[in-house]
Every structure is written in C-alpha cells, then in structure tokens.
C-alpha cells in the first residue's frame, strides 16, 4: 500500500490547544450527555412500566380472571411502576446536585 501524496500547495495549519475553547467544548459535551442521560432514563422507565403492565395483564388472563379486574390491576401496577421510576429519577438528580454543592462548599472552605 502506498502513502497518500502530500500536496505541498496546501497550507498547513498547526494550532496550539486553547484552554478556553477546550473548556467550552467540555461544558457543551457534558450538557448534551446529561440531557441524553435524562432522556434514556425516562425511556427505560416507560418501557419497564409497559412491560410490567402487560405481564400483569397476561398473568391475570392466563389465570382466567375477569377482564375488567385484570385491566384495573395492570393499570394500577403500571401507574405505581411509572410513579416510582419518576420519583427515583427526581431523587437521583436532587442528590447529585446536593453532592455537587457539598463538594463545592468543601473545596471553598
């Protein structure tokens, strides 16, 4: 395999790393990653909610229970799963913010 030829007429740019630009890029990447993490957590909670609701419904119908009773139980289980998942996401975020503030306070001391 041959090396690609270097075109000498093209200008060569060599940049020094700019700390301000690097910090800006890191902040933007961190903000985007945090937003995507929240989206994926919410998506996971939604999928788990649907799975549990369907499993309760399937189990109730397999046990020959009345359909309205099965539907009501499946909805209640799904609602409880969704509520606890959203509460978990919220508490995780609140504790994360609290730990960050505690670290900042500890460093400033």
């Amino acid at each position: 395999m041959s090396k690609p030829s270097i075109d000498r007429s093209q200008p060569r740019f060599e940049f020094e790393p700019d700390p301000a630009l690097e910090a800006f890029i890191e902040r933007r990447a961190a903000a985007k990653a945090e937003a995507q993490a929240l989206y994926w957590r919410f998506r996971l909670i939604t999928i788990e909610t649907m799975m549990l609701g369907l499993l309760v419904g399937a189990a109730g119908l397999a046990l020959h229970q009345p359909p309205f009773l099965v539907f009501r139980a499946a909805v209640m289980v799904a609602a409880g799963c969704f509520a606890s998942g959203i509460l978990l996401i919220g508490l995780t975020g609140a504790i994360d913010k609290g730990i960050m503030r505690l670290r900042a306070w500890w460093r400033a001391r």
Side-chain angles (χ1 to χ4, degrees):
M1 215 158 47
S2 65
K3 287 185 176 180
S5 63
I6 298 173
D7 187 4
R8 304 276 183 217
S9 64
Q10 290 289 327
R12 292 189 59 197
F13 297 107
E14 293 183 20
F15 296 106
E16 296 285 326
D18 182 15
L21 181 60
E22 294 291 328
F24 173 74
I25 291 170
E26 284 182 22
R27 282 193 309 271
R28 291 284 305 263
K32 188 169 186 172
E34 188 175 335
Q36 286 179 349
L38 181 63
Y39 168 75
W40 282 102
R41 284 183 196 129
F42 183 75
R43 186 174 176 180
L44 181 64
I45 296 294
T46 304
I47 290 169
E48 288 177 352
T49 297
M50 293 172 64
M51 284 176 39
L52 280 173
L54 289 173
L55 284 172
V56 168
L61 292 177
L63 294 172
H64 305 291
Q65 297 297 316
F68 181 74
L69 183 67
V70 170
F71 177 74
R72 188 178 75 178
V75 168
M76 286 182 2
V77 166
C81 178
F82 188 75
S84 65
I86 294 299
L87 183 65
L88 182 65
I89 289 173
L91 288 175
T92 303
I95 289 173
D96 183 45
K97 297 284 184 192
I99 289 173
M100 285 178 18
R101 286 186 181 178
L102 183 64
R103 280 187 191 158
W105 172 79
W106 190 261
R107 274 188 244 131
R109 254 184 51 176

